[in-house]
Amino acid sequence: MTRPVTAGIDGSAASFAAAAWAAREAELRGTSLRLVSAWSPPGGTAPEPPEAAERRSWATRSLELARDRLRSRHPGLPIHATLLGLPPHEALLLSGVGAGLLVLGSRGLGGMSALLLGSTGAHTAARADFPVVLVRPVPHPGDRPAGPVLLALDAGHAEQEDVIAVAFEEAAMRGVPLRALYAWTPPGPARTYPVAQGHGTRSNAARQAAQRLAEALLPWRQKYPDVRVEEVCQEDVPAGAVSAETRRAGLAVLGHRVGYGAGSRLGAVVHSAVRHAACPVFLVPQA
């Protein structure tokens, strides 16, 4: 059995959506599901104040509710629930190290919630040197057909083999096509150029982009001959192009540069994708 799929729980709709997605992923990968919730215990030896006890109780109830729901829906799936007495971002980073995949909701709760998956989740994803999937709650997710895997390549990052490998692996595992997007900001008005034979009106920059994209994908096409691939080049603002493409995708795969320290944050393209994506976003760490 491979390493477990781990999902963070904070009681928000986004975290329950993430846990539901993680459960299906665990079944697909033939592994177990680990649910994690966290609360920050008070320091020192003083008695626990009421607000701290309330946060702990909330975290416990949310964790138990998610576990019980998923056990009823996935009776054959091993599900383990863990409550960690750590600050939320520390709990998530610790849990992700031992997981095959860390799944987080992309929107958290305020107020009484531990804020496990709001800004803390984004900060955790920015610092994670392991794969993270961010899931937004969407109406009736079961009604959506299985779309292709969207591979969004960064025009400014040369080393993207890990991102391409993950996208092909995910498409092959799901039995769906791969849609590879290469977008860059043009110097003038934005134009869209789908990569297709006989498209003689493309600019020189678009033809060069198409060639770079084809060369980057060629080894992986040969390794995964059963994965149908569509190549798309766009002269467009990358953040907007990626967000728009997620509307037709079942999963979006993006690379992100790993940052460290309190100021770490997701890049503009990833942040936009996470905020606006109509599908889960799989983040592959890059140095």
Side-chain angles (χ1 to χ4, degrees), residues 39-102:
W39 69 290
S40 299
T45 58
E48 183 179 61
E51 59 271 18
E54 196 171 7
R55 288 195 299 269
R56 176 168 51 83
S57 177
W58 173 267
T60 301
R61 292 199 307 272
S62 299
L63 187 63
E64 292 174 347
L65 176 60
R67 179 198 61 197
D68 294 345
R69 281 181 179 177
L70 293 175
R71 281 181 175 171
S72 65
R73 297 171 186 172
H74 304 271
L77 177 65
I79 300 176
H80 310 284
T82 304
L83 178 66
L84 297 176
L86 292 169
H89 70 278
E90 292 184 16
L92 291 173
L93 288 172
L94 178 64
S95 300
V97 170
L101 191 64
L102 177 64

Side-chain angles (χ1 to χ4, degrees), residues 8 23 25 68 94-95 106 122 180 201 207 209 232 276:
E25 282 298 297
D68 294 345
L94 178 64
S95 300
S106 64
T201 60
R207 287 192 293 271
V232 178
H276 300 291

Side-chain angles (χ1 to χ4, degrees), residues 55 191 249 260 272 278:
R55 288 195 299 269
R191 298 180 299 278
Y260 300 96
S272 176

Side-chain angles (χ1 to χ4, degrees), residues 78-160:
I79 300 176
H80 310 284
T82 304
L83 178 66
L84 297 176
L86 292 169
H89 70 278
E90 292 184 16
L92 291 173
L93 288 172
L94 178 64
S95 300
V97 170
L101 191 64
L102 177 64
V103 184
L104 306 177
S106 64
R107 183 179 303 168
L109 288 173
M112 186 173 63
S113 159
L115 293 176
L116 182 62
L117 305 180
S119 60
T120 300
H123 180 60
T124 301
R127 298 177 61 194
D129 57 1
F130 46 78
V132 175
V133 175
L134 295 171
V135 178
R136 292 183 63 203
V138 295
H140 310 296
D143 296 340
R144 293 190 59 195
V149 169
L150 171 65
L151 165 61
L153 294 176
D154 183 354
H157 199 285
E159 299 297 327
Q160 300 185 78

Side-chain angles (χ1 to χ4, degrees), residues 105-246:
S106 64
R107 183 179 303 168
L109 288 173
M112 186 173 63
S113 159
L115 293 176
L116 182 62
L117 305 180
S119 60
T120 300
H123 180 60
T124 301
R127 298 177 61 194
D129 57 1
F130 46 78
V132 175
V133 175
L134 295 171
V135 178
R136 292 183 63 203
V138 295
H140 310 296
D143 296 340
R144 293 190 59 195
V149 169
L150 171 65
L151 165 61
L153 294 176
D154 183 354
H157 199 285
E159 299 297 327
Q160 300 185 78
E161 287 84 359
D162 290 347
V163 184
I164 298 172
V166 167
F168 271 88
E169 289 167 4
E170 294 297 320
M173 182 169 56
R174 288 167 166 75
V176 300
L178 175 70
R179 185 173 172 86
L181 171 67
Y182 183 92
W184 73 98
T185 304
R191 298 180 299 278
T192 299
Y193 300 98
V195 176
Q197 296 295 328
H199 200 328
T201 60
R202 289 179 291 167
S203 69
N204 185 55
R207 287 192 293 271
Q208 291 177 353
Q211 182 177 351
R212 287 194 295 269
L213 178 59
E215 290 174 351
L217 298 180
L218 181 58
W220 303 98
R221 281 179 174 269
Q222 294 171 341
K223 184 175 180 179
Y224 294 92
D226 294 332
V227 174
R228 183 164 62 87
V229 180
E230 181 180 6
E231 299 176 14
V232 178
C233 287
Q234 291 184 359
E235 285 190 31
D236 201 349
V237 177
V242 172
S243 297
E245 285 288 336
T246 65

